[in-house]
Amino acid sequence: MKAEAAFLTLALGFISVNFAGFSFGALQVGFYRGKCGFADVEAIAAGVITAQFFRDPSTVAALLRLQFHDCFVNGCDASILVDGSNSEKTAIPNLSVRGYEIIDQAKAAVENACPGVVSCADLIAIATRDVVFLSGGGRYDVQTGRRDGLVSAAKNVSLPGPAISVPEAIAAFSDKGLTVTEMVLLLGAHSVGIAHCSFIKDRLFNFENTGRPDPSMDPFLENILRSRCPPFATVDNTVNLDQNSFSPFTISNTYYQTVMLHRGILQIDQDLGTDPLTMPVVKNLANAFDFPARFGAAMVKLGAIGVLTGTQGEIRRSCRATNRL
């Protein structure tokens, strides 16, 4: 999705999700424990990620999107990080993906302490977990043990876009082993990040070629967005996916509350609140106190899609190139 979404213990919350007793395939919590002497590679990575987050809180949206785009193409194998004239990052849906340099910095830090052991694929999962936590989304245990992919090709990139219908989205997520509820939870990442006006202009001025705005959109929001996204603008402005001015960088269930108020920004966001397949889940999450824990569980499931483990793939020396290059 081009719309960026758009995952320290906080003074309010202290919500943690513990998956120590569970595993997906060969992944496990604490995979690197004892493999790097006394070095705690997750803590080393967290130092890099924390510093970056406090410099730029929008890092949370960037890394959530980076992980989603990686895992939905050939699984969570860090293939999106590879440079090249025809690599995944050159595909149109990935041209506005950010966060590569953050993973580079984390990789350099862990390589300095423990060379040749920690995969770039695991660093994506660890870094995303850390920024979700820093942004108020609760902390969840990341299972590690992924290895890095050997193939990165733009032709393999096929991602659900922001104008996708709910049934189409359900099918796309189901193809990756994710349930309807997990899909709606993961779209809660749209409580952070931005969307370009070009993705919502049809809703504002010519919904389904009617020459009118989307009747499902709150009129007050419509007026705000029309002023931000005029019909003949020469610059493709951006708008926050979460119009709650108090939490533009906070992972929370306000996303579902705004959808129920007809204030969803992207078409797929608003449709979740009206489609009978997803509306009950949205209603439940809008009033849920355990959203951080449930979001964390869905992120763990996302991070287990199509992983390489054992002797599959490799541990890259540089996240931007396979070792054979």
Side-chain angles (χ1 to χ4, degrees):
M1 297 183 187
K2 185 176 180 181
E4 184 174 82
F7 239 178
L8 304 167
T9 301
L10 302 179
L12 46 104
F14 298 96
I15 299 173
S16 176
V17 189
N18 190 324
F19 292 95
F22 302 89
S23 65
F24 289 88
L27 300 182
Q28 64 185 75
V29 173
F31 176 83
Y32 294 109
R33 208 168 289 140
K35 292 181 172 62
C36 295
F38 293 106
D40 183 339
V41 294
E42 290 194 32
I44 292 170
V48 173
I49 304 309
T50 301
Q52 179 62 35
F53 176 82
F54 284 114
R55 281 194 295 269
D56 178 9
S58 73
T59 296
V60 62
L63 291 181
L64 279 165
R65 186 163 176 245
L66 176 66
Q67 183 173 16
F68 176 82
H69 281 224
D70 182 50
C71 292
F72 257 60
V73 179
N74 291 339
C76 307
D77 65 351
S79 51
I80 194 172
L81 303 180
V82 175
D83 288 338
S85 58
N86 293 297
S87 69
E88 283 180 29
K89 64 172 61 173
T90 68
I92 290 175
N94 290 335
L95 293 179
S96 56
V97 170
R98 299 187 298 125
Y100 302 117
E101 73 289 345
I102 302 170
I103 305 301
D104 288 340
Q105 292 167 20
K107 176 68 168 175
V110 297
E111 283 292 301
N112 187 54
C114 186
V117 174
V118 182
S119 71
C120 302
D122 275 342
L123 287 173
I124 292 174
I126 291 167
T128 305
R129 183 273 312 277
D130 288 346
V131 290
V132 166
F133 183 34
L134 290 164
S135 70
R139 183 176 180 82
Y140 54 92
D141 288 331
V142 166
Q143 296 183 321
T144 44
R146 299 168 189 78
R147 288 170 65 85
D148 299 321
L150 302 174
V151 176
S152 178
K155 66 181 181 181
N156 294 334
V157 177
S158 178
L159 293 161
I164 194 172
S165 71
V166 169
E168 289 170 336
I170 290 173
F173 278 74
S174 177
D175 187 55
K176 304 300 179 183
L178 297 164
T179 68
V180 173
T181 297
E182 287 165 342
M183 179 192 81
V184 178
L185 280 162
L186 290 170
L187 285 172
H190 287 182
S191 58
V192 295
I194 59 172
H196 285 270
C197 289
S198 55
F199 281 94
I200 60 172
K201 275 190 176 179
D202 59 333
R203 296 193 69 204
L204 300 177
F205 302 103
N206 189 26
F207 182 65
E208 296 183 348
N209 295 315
T210 61
R212 298 176 180 275
D214 184 346
S216 71
M217 182 180 288
D218 170 66
F220 182 70
L221 174 64
E222 176 195 319
N223 288 333
I224 292 174
L225 295 180
R226 284 166 72 105
S227 65
R228 177 69 179 165
C229 303
F232 303 110
T234 56
V235 177
D236 194 6
N237 288 331
T238 60
V239 297
N240 286 339
L241 286 170
D242 185 351
Q243 288 293 302
N244 181 349
S245 60
F246 298 104
S247 61
F249 302 116
T250 302
I251 295 288
S252 72
N253 66 339
T254 59
Y255 165 75
Y256 308 102
Q257 295 165 9
T258 57
V259 166
M260 294 305 299
L261 293 171
H262 298 277
R263 295 176 62 83
I265 299 299
L266 299 175
Q267 186 68 56
I268 183 61
D269 295 335
Q270 193 54 62
D271 287 350
L272 290 180
T274 56
D275 193 291
L277 296 171
T278 50
M279 181 171 59
V281 183
V282 172
K283 283 185 175 180
N284 176 270
L285 290 171
N287 299 299
F289 292 102
D290 62 347
F291 169 72
R294 294 168 70 181
F295 180 77
M299 287 298 296
V300 170
K301 186 82 172 286
L302 171 70
I305 294 174
V307 295
L308 304 174
T309 59
T311 58
Q312 299 172 313
E314 65 183 8
I315 304 297
R316 288 187 207 140
R317 291 184 292 270
S318 165
C319 292
R320 291 179 178 264
T322 62
N323 293 342
R324 63 189 180 189
L325 295 179

